[in-house]
């Protein structure tokens, strides 16, 4: 397992996706997960915007002090990568880097519409697959990614113990 500052491998990122799977994902789950992310970000004084989408509907959005309208544009671009590829935006970018290229150079997608930068993670429901995305923007991309992964791990661990 990587340390918070270490760059994870493609295999480690894929393992995160296999591990962070929901039994279900409701409107109430979106509120609880989004609220958890807000709490974590406030504790760290992180200037982020947080977004949760399911099946094309925004279920949660928060913009914390220090965030900017540009963060919402990044959220949309990163979320579109998750929606198109069914994988975390950071993982999609890492897969391209592992091949010696970049997402921008090899995907042939408009970089104003898609961004394979860290911070958007698929909401995967057991038996249903990817149904949405949770996205954070405002920190360096690995920190955005790690904040989402940490929140998902905490949320799923506590949900299973109740």
């Amino acid at each position: 397992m990587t340390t918070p500052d270490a760059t994870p491998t493609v295999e480690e990122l894929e393992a995160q996706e296999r591990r962070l799977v929901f039994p279900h994902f409701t409107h109430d789950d979106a509120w609880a997960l989004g609220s958890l992310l807000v709490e974590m970000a406030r504790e760290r004084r992180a200037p982020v915007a947080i977004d949760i989408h399911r099946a094309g509907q925004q279920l949660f959005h928060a913009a914390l002090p220090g965030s900017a309208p540009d963060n919402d544009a990044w959220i949309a671009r990163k979320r579109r990568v998750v929606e198109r590829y069914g994988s975390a935006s950071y993982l999609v970018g890492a897969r391209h880097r592992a091949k010696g290229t970049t997402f921008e150079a090899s995907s042939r997608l408009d970089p104003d519409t898609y961004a394979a930068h860290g911070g958007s993670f698929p909401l995967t429901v057991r038996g249903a697959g990817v149904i949405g995305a949770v996205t954070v923007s405002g920190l360096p991309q690995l920190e955005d990614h790690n904040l989402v992964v940490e929140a998902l791990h905490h949320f799923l661990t506590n949900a299973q113990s109740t």
Side-chain angles (χ1 to χ4, degrees):
M1 185 154 179
T2 60
T3 61
D5 295 330
T7 301
T9 66
V10 168
E11 293 75 20
E12 289 167 329
L13 294 167
E14 289 171 343
Q16 289 174 346
E17 288 190 357
R18 287 190 300 273
R19 192 171 58 250
L20 299 171
V21 176
F22 289 82
H24 54 76
F25 194 81
T26 67
H27 287 78
D28 289 338
D29 293 327
W31 179 260
L33 176 58
S35 298
L36 172 62
L37 274 161
V38 167
E39 180 183 323
M40 292 170 64
R42 284 182 191 242
E43 286 172 2
R44 299 163 194 202
R45 293 183 172 88
V48 298
I50 300 160
D51 179 86
I52 299 175
H53 265 70
R54 183 188 71 183
Q57 181 183 21
Q58 185 178 52
L59 300 183
F60 185 92
H61 184 83
L64 298 182
S67 65
D70 196 42
N71 296 120
D72 291 328
W74 275 98
I75 283 172
R77 293 168 59 215
K78 293 190 278 188
R79 186 186 71 245
R80 285 186 198 107
V81 168
V82 173
E83 292 168 348
R84 184 174 184 112
Y85 291 90
S87 291
S89 54
Y90 192 78
L91 172 56
V92 172
R95 285 176 174 151
H96 283 85
R97 288 187 296 276
K99 293 177 185 173
T101 184
T102 65
F103 175 80
E104 295 78 10
S106 60
S107 71
R108 301 176 58 100
L109 296 172
D110 182 355
D112 291 334
T113 305
Y114 295 90
H117 291 256
S120 192
F121 202 92
L123 294 170
T124 304
V125 173
R126 191 175 306 109
V130 176
I131 54 96
V134 53
T135 311
V136 169
S137 176
L139 302 170
Q141 66 169 326
L142 181 55
E143 292 177 41
D144 278 348
H145 174 83
N146 286 341
L147 181 60
V148 172
V149 168
E150 182 183 343
L152 287 168
H153 175 75
H154 180 78
F155 183 88
L156 288 165
T157 299
N158 288 339
Q160 292 171 2
S161 63
T162 58

